[in-house]
Amino acid sequence: QVQLVESGGGLVQAGGSLRLSCAASGRSFSMYAMGWFRQAPGKERDIVAAISRSGDRTYYADSVKGRFTISRDNAKNTVYLQMNSLKPEDTAVYYCAADATYYSGAVYYAAEVYESWGQGTQVTVSS
C-alpha cells in the first residue's frame, strides 16, 4: 500500500479558491488510480473527482463539474485538486485515495475500490 498525506485545506470565503495536494510515498505512484472524496458532518463519504494512472482520464461529481480540476504529477508522486468558485456546501473533510490497478485508463468513483486513504484535510467555506 501507498502512504498518502493531504495538505492545502483551510478556511475560505464563498467564491474563493483552494488547491489541495496529496503526496504519496513509494516508487510506484504511476501504478495507482487516484481519487478525491469528501465527507461532511452526518453525511456519507462521496466522490469528488478521480484520475487515471497517466492522468489522461478524469471523472467529476456533478456538483463540482466546471469548478474543480483534478491533476497529477507522477514525477512528484502528487495528485492535486484545484477548487474554484467554492460554495458553503463544499465544506467537508477532503480525503485522497489510491488504488493500484493494471488498467492505465481506469477511473474509479466508488470508495470501496480504493485500498489506501489519507488522513483528510478540512475545507471550510464561509458564506
Side-chain angles (χ1 to χ4, degrees):
Q1 289 188 343
V2 64
Q3 303 298 314
L4 303 172
V5 179
E6 301 99 334
S7 60
L11 174 64
V12 63
Q13 289 188 333
S17 298
L18 282 175
R19 188 194 196 200
L20 304 184
S21 298
C22 174
S25 64
R27 297 178 293 176
S28 302
F29 181 68
S30 61
M31 295 298 295
Y32 290 85
M34 301 297 295
W36 283 99
F37 291 75
R38 66 186 181 188
Q39 188 168 20
K43 296 188 176 181
E44 294 185 350
R45 188 173 297 188
D46 293 327
I47 182 71
V48 176
I51 191 166
S52 62
R53 285 169 42 188
S54 61
D56 59 344
R57 294 189 64 195
T58 57
Y59 170 88
Y60 295 95
D62 287 343
S63 58
V64 306
K65 281 181 181 177
R67 300 189 298 123
F68 291 11
T69 302
I70 188 171
S71 62
R72 66 189 296 162
D73 186 338
N74 285 346
K76 294 183 178 180
N77 284 10
T78 303
V79 62
Y80 305 98
L81 185 68
Q82 178 66 45
M83 305 186 295
N84 299 328
S85 302
L86 282 161
K87 305 175 181 180
E89 51 264 43
D90 294 318
T91 295
V93 178
Y94 283 70
Y95 299 89
C96 71
D99 177 64
T101 177
Y102 174 81
Y103 303 102
S104 61
V107 177
Y108 303 112
Y109 52 84
E112 54 265 29
V113 171
Y114 290 88
E115 59 199 29
S116 300
W117 292 82
Q119 81 291 347
T121 185
Q122 176 70 47
V123 172
T124 303
V125 184
S126 62
S127 57

